[in-house]
Amino acid sequence: MAVPMTKTIERTPSPTTATGKSRLTGLAALLLVALAACLSVYRQSPPAAVAASAPPAEFASGRAMKYVQSIGQKPHPMGSQEHTVVRDYILRELSALGVEPEVQKTTVLSKRDVTPLVAGSVENIIATLKGTGNTKALLLAAHYDSVPSGPGASDDGSGVATLLETLRGLKAGTPLKNDVIFLFTDGEEIGLLGAEGFVDEHPVVGDVGLVLNFEARGTAGPSYMYETSEGNGWLIEEFAKVVPRPVTNSLLFEVYKLLPNATDLSIFKGAGLAGLNFAYIDQPTYYHTQLDNPRTIDERSLQHQGSYALALTRHFGSLDLRTNSKANAVYFDLLGAFVVRYPASLVVPLTILTVLLFIAVVVLGYKRRRLTFSGMMLGFVALLLAMIAAGLVVMLVWRLVSGVHSEYAAMTYGDTYNSKLYLVGFIALTLAITSGIYLLFGRRVSVLNLWVGAIIWWMLALILTTLLLPGASYLFTWTLLPGLLSLLLLMLSTREESPAWKRLAVFFVGAVPSVILFSPLILTLFIALNVTSSALVMVVVALLLGLIIPQVNLADGMYKWLLPSISLLLCVGFLIAASMTSKFDASHPRQDNVFYALDGDRGQAVWASTGSNTDEWTSQFFSTKMETIEMPAFFPGRPWKFLTNEAQVVSLAPPQIELRSDDRTEAGRTLRLNITSARQAPVLSLYVDAETEVRGTLLNGKPFKQETAGAKNTAGNSWALRYYALPAEGVELVLTSKSAQPVRITAVDQTYELPSIPGTPFKPRPAGVIPAPHPLSDSTLVSKSFTF
């Protein structure tokens, strides 16, 4: 009897066949992956805290916490009374440590292209530890202001504490060669004003050879060295020599350059200074909230910051800082033990080597009949489908979760307190999807074809990063080179089946490096982008699994669906756990906001909120007559909408604008105005009517950047300004318009508390509710318009 012929794609024997031994080999491979992932993530954790009893010459987080506890008690934004308290505390501590601090007081007009324009009265604190033979000074920087909505224990009380404890440690050791300048900047939170004032006006700037800046965007986690100045080769080389627990890579440097984010180091780099930037970012839900307090800060994160600061200060403090530039480097830490680095000029040669090795593998695979074109293309498609499916399914699941847990919408930054449960659940879901797709493709395609098809995607990623983001190329170079070498060994082998230990060895060389490099990166991406971007992160997870799953051929028959089934069960379990822990409580409070706005022109007032609904606390300010409307009396021309409700009018003095002079010419008018706040409000905003085109401005005798002074914002307004830390005597503003027509200006001042309304006591927030990290939370606004 003739056997019917069926057309199939040639399946070459796999290095792991479906036998009892191969099942054990596959399980061992999975265990190896899990151990490598856990190890690489664990090694990203910060070092242990050091007690206050440590030797004086060491950095001790136990001693530094004393500073954090004093600084991070209450919010201390620019212009507030608590800001003055923190400033004076730092001055006293510096004097106690044996240096002479100075306060740089100046008016700063931000050069950043933002609307409204930002300006303020800054008070930078500067102290210098003199060296024995200065070449150029080393500058350590951290900002001491906080946002109005949080005490700023981590952001950036930890940075201030790092500088103070580093200074104490330096005083206890051998004097350094170079001067060390300790700069505590003001006004970072509202526009990097202190750093701008320092680089523009302080005479010591010309003597600075290197800057170390310390920040935080959370309250826990490792401190990343995430940003450098250009020409960082020398800096990375010296950094790698002395840092005890490095957590860094050049991918962070490449990505950060593309983002709109900025810190004080952005200003220092703009002034031509070399520098390194450090920050820890875990627990981002605490960022800029009342939870950023001394009780929630992970002392290990502070120790990590300090270990960087003291080691690098001692090292760079003894080097010649007059020449510190070199071509950019590609770098990454390996398990937090040391930094692998090499010149960026090697990126292209390494990429060419990798491409040649890939070509050799494919050619040899063809000759040995271990690879087919159709098989590799199906492997390419398998990973494409896995990435698309993982991204889409995770996105749909998150939308479903967000719909079920509508309370998540109350979180300002979109993250959740239990986001790590979602991370594990989504990784398990991606593993289920990817392994399922590969099982289906594995019926017609050999393991080697699936593996090489996945590598094509990695080759494309390598080429793209080489051309566009060379600092990120290491991820693909050092994943592909070991993988291709192990493939080459398989192709050169004359035996189509090998002992289990050899298969495990090939798997180790081919897959484990990628796990070690990518596992901490996936965690970092998830924390940085937060849970709302889980779909994007899972695409990266699927890309990684594309290298691993083809090599883990567990079994046929009843065992083949074991991995996707267990993964799916894990996903369901973690999603259920996340759902059960989603409720707000005293440790995981809900965020809300409300502010009071008094229109001084009409004698009317409203309660307002940026939220779309009320909760148990904000409901006392709103009734059934609430409506969502724009507020042109307070934000002229801005299309922003707020939930509002009529409020009782409180007797509050409005801001004042006094006309000092009015010079009229055929070309237009020049108004000299004095702006004050009778309430001594720390923030004052000015809005010039859209009909008036401003062509020049002076603030306290200083000009704004010409390209922004008259620029129209996105809402079509001619000119707007927000001034922070308004002095009691006010500020002088000179406006030059292109027309002799009347000029209408709206002034709005803002204090950081709600008003007391006689006869109407308000309930305090319950334990499970805190102000949202919004600039208007718990504020009082009073507006008044003037026509000249």
Side-chain angles (χ1 to χ4, degrees), residues 334-475:
L334 190 59
L335 298 176
F338 58 91
V339 178
V340 178
R341 66 272 188 193
Y342 52 91
S345 58
L346 291 180
V347 168
V348 172
L350 284 170
T351 299
I352 293 173
L353 174 63
T354 307
V355 171
L356 292 175
L357 189 56
F358 175 71
I359 293 172
V361 166
V362 172
V363 171
L364 188 60
Y366 266 113
K367 287 184 176 181
R368 295 292 179 93
R369 297 186 177 181
R370 309 285 289 275
L371 295 175
T372 65
F373 178 79
S374 57
M376 289 187 296
M377 288 301 99
L378 284 173
F380 180 85
V381 171
L383 184 50
L384 173 62
L385 291 178
M387 291 189 291
I388 293 174
L392 287 178
V393 173
V394 169
M395 180 176 65
L396 291 174
V397 171
W398 177 247
R399 287 187 178 180
L400 177 62
V401 168
S402 300
V404 172
H405 296 289
S406 57
E407 64 270 21
Y408 288 163
M411 301 299 290
T412 302
Y413 299 123
D415 211 351
T416 67
Y417 293 111
N418 58 355
S419 61
K420 300 290 177 58
L421 293 174
Y422 287 112
L423 171 61
V424 178
F426 289 150
I427 289 176
L429 179 56
T430 302
L431 178 56
I433 291 169
T434 306
S435 58
I437 288 174
Y438 272 90
L439 275 172
L440 295 175
F441 274 78
R443 295 174 178 176
R444 296 171 56 83
V445 187
S446 71
V447 169
L448 291 180
N449 277 309
L450 288 174
W451 192 0
V452 174
I455 287 177
I456 296 174
W457 280 105
W458 287 74
M459 293 298 303
L460 292 175
L462 171 62
I463 293 169
L464 285 175
T465 52
T466 297
L467 297 175
L468 303 177
L469 298 171
S473 63
Y474 76 91
L475 284 166

Side-chain angles (χ1 to χ4, degrees), residues 212-234:
L212 306 180
N213 188 61
F214 295 90
E215 264 286 3
R217 204 211 71 172
T219 62
S223 177
Y224 298 92
M225 196 287 284
Y226 67 97
E227 183 187 11
T228 77
S229 50
E230 290 291 339
N232 59 27
W234 181 80

Side-chain angles (χ1 to χ4, degrees), residues 705-726:
K705 230 173 36 166
Q706 189 61 39
E707 57 267 31
T708 60
K712 293 182 179 293
N713 62 25
T714 55
N717 300 290
S718 296
W719 193 87
L721 167 70
R722 184 164 293 134
Y723 195 97
Y724 291 85
L726 185 73

Side-chain angles (χ1 to χ4, degrees), residues 689-759:
D689 189 78
E691 300 298 322
T692 302
E693 184 174 351
V694 177
R695 67 176 185 181
T697 55
L698 293 173
L699 187 64
N700 285 350
K702 296 182 176 181
F704 276 100
K705 230 173 36 166
Q706 189 61 39
E707 57 267 31
T708 60
K712 293 182 179 293
N713 62 25
T714 55
N717 300 290
S718 296
W719 193 87
L721 167 70
R722 184 164 293 134
Y723 195 97
Y724 291 85
L726 185 73
E729 67 275 14
V731 293
E732 182 181 83
L733 177 67
V734 177
L735 286 177
T736 300
S737 69
K738 296 183 69 173
S739 167
Q741 297 297 316
V743 177
R744 179 183 172 88
I745 304 174
T746 299
V748 184
D749 65 9
Q750 175 184 352
T751 52
Y752 296 129
E753 70 279 328
L754 296 175
S756 298
I757 299 182

Side-chain angles (χ1 to χ4, degrees), residues 603-621:
Q604 300 174 347
V606 296
W607 295 109
S609 173
T610 60
S612 56
N613 297 298
T614 60
D615 62 18
E616 56 182 312
W617 184 74
T618 59
S619 59
Q620 65 185 314
F621 303 99

